[in-house]
Amino acid sequence: MIMSSVKIECVLPENCRCGESPVWEEASNSLLFVDIPAKKVCRWDSLSKGVQQVTVGTMAEETAPAVLERHQGSLYSLFPDHHVEKYFDQVDISNGLDWSLDHKIFYYIDSLSYSVDAFDYDLQTGKISNRRSVYKLEKEEQIPDGMCIDAEGKLWVACYNGGRVIRLDPETGKRLQTVKLPVDKTTSCCFGGKDYSEMYVTCARDGMDVEKLLQQPQAGGIFKITGLGVKGIPPYPYAG
Protein backbone atom coordinates (compact mmCIF):
# COMPACT_ATOMS: atom_id res chain seq x y z
CA MET A 1 0.00 0.00 0.00
CA ILE A 2 1.43 3.37 -1.03
CA MET A 3 0.64 5.75 1.83
CA SER A 4 1.47 8.88 -0.18
CA SER A 5 -1.44 8.14 -2.54
CA VAL A 6 -4.00 8.92 0.16
CA LYS A 7 -5.92 12.10 -0.65
CA ILE A 8 -8.23 13.94 1.77
CA GLU A 9 -10.66 16.64 0.63
CA CYS A 10 -13.63 18.44 2.15
CA VAL A 11 -16.37 17.77 -0.40
CA LEU A 12 -19.12 19.52 1.54
CA PRO A 13 -18.41 22.49 3.85
CA GLU A 14 -21.65 21.90 5.72
CA ASN A 15 -20.79 23.33 9.18
CA CYS A 16 -22.60 20.47 10.90
CA ARG A 17 -22.85 20.93 14.65
CA CYS A 18 -22.36 17.18 14.94
CA GLY A 19 -22.35 15.35 11.61
CA GLU A 20 -22.88 11.62 12.07
CA SER A 21 -24.08 8.28 10.68
CA PRO A 22 -22.93 8.47 7.03
CA VAL A 23 -24.46 5.82 4.75
CA TRP A 24 -23.89 5.49 1.01
CA GLU A 25 -27.07 5.23 -1.08
CA GLU A 26 -25.96 3.43 -4.22
CA ALA A 27 -29.14 3.94 -6.24
CA SER A 28 -28.79 7.73 -6.15
CA ASN A 29 -24.99 8.06 -5.86
CA SER A 30 -25.65 9.96 -2.65
CA LEU A 31 -24.38 10.15 0.89
CA LEU A 32 -26.94 10.19 3.68
CA PHE A 33 -25.89 11.71 7.00
CA VAL A 34 -27.37 13.43 10.02
CA ASP A 35 -26.60 16.53 12.08
CA ILE A 36 -27.73 15.37 15.51
CA PRO A 37 -28.19 18.63 17.51
CA ALA A 38 -29.67 20.39 14.46
CA LYS A 39 -32.17 17.51 14.10
CA LYS A 40 -31.47 17.22 10.38
CA VAL A 41 -31.22 14.28 7.99
CA CYS A 42 -29.32 15.22 4.84
CA ARG A 43 -28.69 13.68 1.42
CA TRP A 44 -25.65 14.87 -0.55
CA ASP A 45 -25.75 14.06 -4.27
CA SER A 46 -22.19 13.27 -5.31
CA LEU A 47 -22.96 14.05 -8.96
CA SER A 48 -24.87 17.34 -8.68
CA LYS A 49 -23.20 18.28 -5.34
CA GLY A 50 -26.61 19.39 -4.10
CA VAL A 51 -27.88 18.79 -0.56
CA GLN A 52 -31.41 17.93 0.53
CA GLN A 53 -32.40 18.38 4.17
CA VAL A 54 -35.23 17.03 6.26
CA THR A 55 -35.77 18.30 9.81
CA VAL A 56 -36.79 15.52 12.18
CA GLY A 57 -36.84 14.14 15.67
CA THR A 58 -35.83 15.04 19.15
CA MET A 59 -33.15 13.97 21.62
CA ALA A 60 -31.83 14.61 25.10
CA GLU A 61 -29.05 17.18 25.12
CA GLU A 62 -25.60 16.46 26.44
CA THR A 63 -24.31 18.95 29.00
CA ALA A 64 -21.35 19.36 26.62
CA PRO A 65 -20.13 17.34 23.63
CA ALA A 66 -19.45 13.77 24.85
CA VAL A 67 -20.28 14.84 28.44
CA LEU A 68 -23.41 13.24 29.85
CA GLU A 69 -24.87 11.39 32.80
CA ARG A 70 -23.10 8.03 32.82
CA HIS A 71 -24.54 4.57 32.12
CA GLN A 72 -27.96 5.75 30.93
CA GLY A 73 -27.91 4.01 27.54
CA SER A 74 -28.78 0.56 26.23
CA LEU A 75 -28.25 -1.57 23.13
CA TYR A 76 -31.38 -2.69 21.29
CA SER A 77 -32.11 -4.80 18.23
CA LEU A 78 -34.98 -4.05 15.81
CA PHE A 79 -36.11 -7.26 14.13
CA PRO A 80 -37.71 -7.61 10.66
CA ASP A 81 -41.14 -8.18 12.28
CA HIS A 82 -40.65 -4.78 13.99
CA HIS A 83 -40.33 -6.11 17.54
CA VAL A 84 -37.51 -4.69 19.64
CA GLU A 85 -35.25 -6.49 22.11
CA LYS A 86 -32.91 -4.89 24.64
CA TYR A 87 -29.58 -6.71 24.84
CA PHE A 88 -27.96 -4.83 27.71
CA ASP A 89 -27.91 -1.48 29.51
CA GLN A 90 -25.37 0.57 31.53
CA VAL A 91 -24.11 2.03 28.23
CA ASP A 92 -22.59 5.50 28.02
CA ILE A 93 -22.66 6.25 24.27
CA SER A 94 -23.59 3.48 21.84
CA ASN A 95 -21.69 4.22 18.67
CA GLY A 96 -19.97 2.25 15.91
CA LEU A 97 -21.43 -1.13 15.03
CA ASP A 98 -20.90 -3.56 12.19
CA TRP A 99 -20.66 -7.27 11.41
CA SER A 100 -17.84 -9.48 10.22
CA LEU A 101 -18.00 -10.49 6.55
CA ASP A 102 -19.33 -13.96 7.49
CA HIS A 103 -21.89 -12.41 9.91
CA LYS A 104 -20.61 -14.52 12.81
CA ILE A 105 -19.18 -11.59 14.80
CA PHE A 106 -20.86 -8.33 15.81
CA TYR A 107 -18.54 -5.38 16.48
CA TYR A 108 -19.63 -2.59 18.82
CA ILE A 109 -18.31 0.59 20.43
CA ASP A 110 -19.45 2.12 23.71
CA SER A 111 -17.41 5.29 23.26
CA LEU A 112 -16.45 6.06 26.86
CA SER A 113 -15.11 2.53 27.35
CA TYR A 114 -12.35 3.49 24.86
CA SER A 115 -12.67 0.00 23.40
CA VAL A 116 -13.80 -1.74 20.23
CA ASP A 117 -15.66 -4.87 21.34
CA ALA A 118 -16.74 -8.06 19.61
CA PHE A 119 -19.58 -10.49 20.28
CA ASP A 120 -20.39 -13.89 18.84
CA TYR A 121 -23.48 -13.36 16.65
CA ASP A 122 -26.21 -15.80 15.64
CA LEU A 123 -27.60 -14.69 12.30
CA GLN A 124 -30.75 -16.80 12.65
CA THR A 125 -31.81 -15.52 16.07
CA GLY A 126 -29.96 -12.18 16.29
CA LYS A 127 -28.57 -13.19 19.69
CA ILE A 128 -25.16 -11.94 20.83
CA SER A 129 -22.81 -13.47 23.41
CA ASN A 130 -19.20 -13.71 24.59
CA ARG A 131 -18.32 -10.01 24.72
CA ARG A 132 -14.60 -9.22 24.49
CA SER A 133 -12.39 -6.28 23.60
CA VAL A 134 -10.51 -6.50 20.30
CA TYR A 135 -8.80 -3.08 20.52
CA LYS A 136 -8.17 -0.56 23.29
CA LEU A 137 -7.60 2.98 22.05
CA GLU A 138 -4.32 4.71 22.79
CA LYS A 139 -4.31 8.08 24.50
CA GLU A 140 -3.73 10.19 21.36
CA GLU A 141 -6.49 8.33 19.53
CA GLN A 142 -9.01 9.76 22.01
CA ILE A 143 -12.66 8.60 21.85
CA PRO A 144 -13.82 5.82 19.47
CA ASP A 145 -16.94 6.91 17.60
CA GLY A 146 -18.46 5.62 14.34
CA MET A 147 -17.11 2.52 12.59
CA CYS A 148 -17.32 0.58 9.33
CA ILE A 149 -15.77 -2.56 7.85
CA ASP A 150 -13.85 -2.98 4.60
CA ALA A 151 -13.85 -5.80 2.04
CA GLU A 152 -10.86 -7.41 3.78
CA GLY A 153 -12.72 -7.65 7.11
CA LYS A 154 -10.71 -4.88 8.78
CA LEU A 155 -12.41 -2.19 10.89
CA TRP A 156 -12.18 1.57 10.39
CA VAL A 157 -12.91 3.70 13.45
CA ALA A 158 -13.39 7.48 13.56
CA CYS A 159 -11.68 8.97 16.63
CA TYR A 160 -13.58 11.88 18.19
CA ASN A 161 -11.15 14.58 19.41
CA GLY A 162 -8.39 12.50 17.78
CA GLY A 163 -8.74 13.97 14.29
CA ARG A 164 -8.25 10.65 12.55
CA VAL A 165 -9.66 7.38 11.33
CA ILE A 166 -7.75 4.22 12.19
CA ARG A 167 -7.77 0.82 10.51
CA LEU A 168 -7.76 -2.16 12.86
CA ASP A 169 -7.34 -5.90 12.47
CA PRO A 170 -9.94 -7.34 14.86
CA GLU A 171 -8.28 -10.76 14.80
CA THR A 172 -4.85 -9.59 15.96
CA GLY A 173 -5.88 -6.43 17.84
CA LYS A 174 -3.31 -4.41 15.87
CA ARG A 175 -3.70 -0.95 14.35
CA LEU A 176 -2.78 -1.19 10.67
CA GLN A 177 -3.14 2.38 9.47
CA THR A 178 -3.85 5.91 10.68
CA VAL A 179 -5.29 8.63 8.45
CA LYS A 180 -5.23 12.09 10.03
CA LEU A 181 -7.73 14.75 9.02
CA PRO A 182 -7.53 18.57 9.29
CA VAL A 183 -10.29 18.56 11.95
CA ASP A 184 -10.25 17.18 15.51
CA LYS A 185 -13.82 16.03 16.02
CA THR A 186 -14.09 13.19 13.51
CA THR A 187 -17.31 11.29 14.27
CA SER A 188 -18.00 8.50 11.78
CA CYS A 189 -17.02 6.95 8.46
CA CYS A 190 -18.36 4.81 5.64
CA PHE A 191 -17.28 3.61 2.22
CA GLY A 192 -19.03 4.85 -0.90
CA GLY A 193 -18.58 5.83 -4.52
CA LYS A 194 -19.29 3.69 -7.55
CA ASP A 195 -16.98 0.89 -6.45
CA TYR A 196 -16.90 1.65 -2.71
CA SER A 197 -13.28 2.77 -2.93
CA GLU A 198 -13.98 6.20 -1.39
CA MET A 199 -14.29 6.77 2.34
CA TYR A 200 -16.59 9.49 3.65
CA VAL A 201 -15.98 10.96 7.10
CA THR A 202 -18.30 13.16 9.15
CA CYS A 203 -17.18 15.51 11.92
CA ALA A 204 -18.46 18.03 14.44
CA ARG A 205 -17.89 21.65 15.44
CA ASP A 206 -19.93 21.87 18.66
CA GLY A 207 -17.69 22.46 21.67
CA MET A 208 -14.98 24.27 19.71
CA ASP A 209 -14.06 27.82 20.71
CA VAL A 210 -13.61 30.69 18.25
CA GLU A 211 -9.83 30.24 18.07
CA LYS A 212 -10.16 26.53 17.33
CA LEU A 213 -12.75 27.19 14.64
CA LEU A 214 -10.40 29.67 12.99
CA GLN A 215 -7.68 27.01 13.01
CA GLN A 216 -10.07 24.39 11.64
CA PRO A 217 -12.46 26.19 9.27
CA GLN A 218 -13.64 22.89 7.74
CA ALA A 219 -14.92 21.56 11.07
CA GLY A 220 -18.43 20.19 10.57
CA GLY A 221 -17.81 19.40 6.90
CA ILE A 222 -17.99 16.12 5.03
CA PHE A 223 -14.63 14.69 3.96
CA LYS A 224 -13.76 12.22 1.22
CA ILE A 225 -10.65 10.05 1.44
CA THR A 226 -9.33 8.30 -1.66
CA GLY A 227 -6.25 6.20 -2.36
CA LEU A 228 -6.64 3.95 0.69
CA GLY A 229 -5.94 0.87 -1.40
CA VAL A 230 -8.96 -0.97 -0.04
CA LYS A 231 -12.68 -0.99 -0.79
CA GLY A 232 -15.73 -1.18 1.41
CA ILE A 233 -18.90 -3.21 1.03
CA PRO A 234 -22.44 -2.02 0.31
CA PRO A 235 -24.62 -1.31 3.35
CA TYR A 236 -27.26 -3.87 4.26
CA PRO A 237 -30.86 -2.65 3.94
CA TYR A 238 -33.23 -3.25 6.84
CA ALA A 239 -35.14 -6.48 6.16
CA GLY A 240 -38.39 -5.18 7.61
Side-chain angles (χ1 to χ4, degrees):
M1 185 180 298
I2 302 172
M3 302 299 287
S4 60
S5 65
V6 174
K7 179 184 177 185
I8 303 168
E9 58 181 316
C10 183
V11 292
L12 182 61
E14 184 67 7
N15 287 346
C16 289
R17 290 179 58 192
C18 183
E20 261 284 5
S21 305
V23 177
W24 185 256
E25 188 178 70
E26 190 172 323
S28 64
N29 291 298
S30 298
L31 184 75
L32 302 171
F33 63 95
V34 302
D35 184 349
I36 297 174
K39 305 181 180 71
K40 293 191 298 190
V41 178
C42 304
R43 174 189 279 113
W44 174 71
D45 188 317
S46 67
L47 303 179
S48 72
K49 311 302 181 187
V51 179
Q52 294 176 304
Q53 293 184 168
V54 181
T55 302
V56 297
T58 184
M59 61 170 283
E61 294 287 349
E62 299 163 312
T63 56
V67 177
L68 70 168
E69 189 177 350
R70 299 294 299 272
H71 310 308
Q72 297 300 300
S74 300
L75 178 70
Y76 297 87
S77 180
L78 172 63
F79 286 78
D81 64 1
H82 298 171
H83 88 275
V84 175
E85 288 186 22
K86 183 167 83 170
Y87 286 157
F88 53 82
D89 52 20
Q90 296 294 304
V91 171
D92 285 316
I93 307 175
S94 282
N95 248 313
L97 51 86
D98 216 324
W99 283 260
S100 61
L101 300 181
D102 62 6
H103 300 112
K104 292 181 178 179
I105 300 174
F106 168 61
Y107 298 110
Y108 170 73
I109 292 171
D110 178 359
S111 287
L112 298 188
S113 72
Y114 296 89
S115 175
V116 180
D117 291 352
F119 296 81
D120 295 338
Y121 179 75
D122 186 318
L123 183 61
Q124 301 306 314
T125 65
K127 299 298 184 185
I128 59 175
S129 60
N130 188 27
R131 185 174 187 170
R132 66 268 188 195
S133 175
V134 296
Y135 185 81
K136 282 284 190 182
L137 273 80
E138 298 178 7
K139 186 175 181 180
E140 72 272 10
E141 292 167 346
Q142 295 285 339
I143 302 172
D145 203 328
M147 173 172 61
C148 64
I149 197 165
D150 65 30
E152 297 176 3
K154 306 301 189 286
L155 301 174
W156 292 82
V157 179
C159 300
Y160 184 83
N161 284 341
R164 67 193 70 192
V165 291
I166 54 176
R167 188 186 191 218
L168 311 175
D169 186 335
E171 294 186 1
T172 65
K174 302 293 186 185
R175 184 181 69 238
L176 304 175
Q177 188 175 351
T178 299
V179 180
K180 294 186 178 180
L181 286 91
V183 290
D184 286 341
K185 295 184 180 297
T186 40
T187 56
S188 193
C189 54
C190 75
F191 284 94
K194 60 177 174 24
D195 58 357
Y196 291 91
S197 64
E198 303 166 348
M199 174 174 282
Y200 289 90
V201 181
T202 52
C203 63
R205 61 193 284 116
D206 267 16
M208 299 175 67
D209 60 26
V210 173
E211 183 179 354
K212 203 62 151 175
L213 287 170
L214 288 172
Q215 294 170 358
Q216 300 180 20
Q218 296 173 321
I222 306 297
F223 288 83
K224 180 173 76 172
I225 305 174
T226 52
L228 290 171
V230 67
K231 296 180 179 180
I233 60 174
Y236 297 102
Y238 172 53

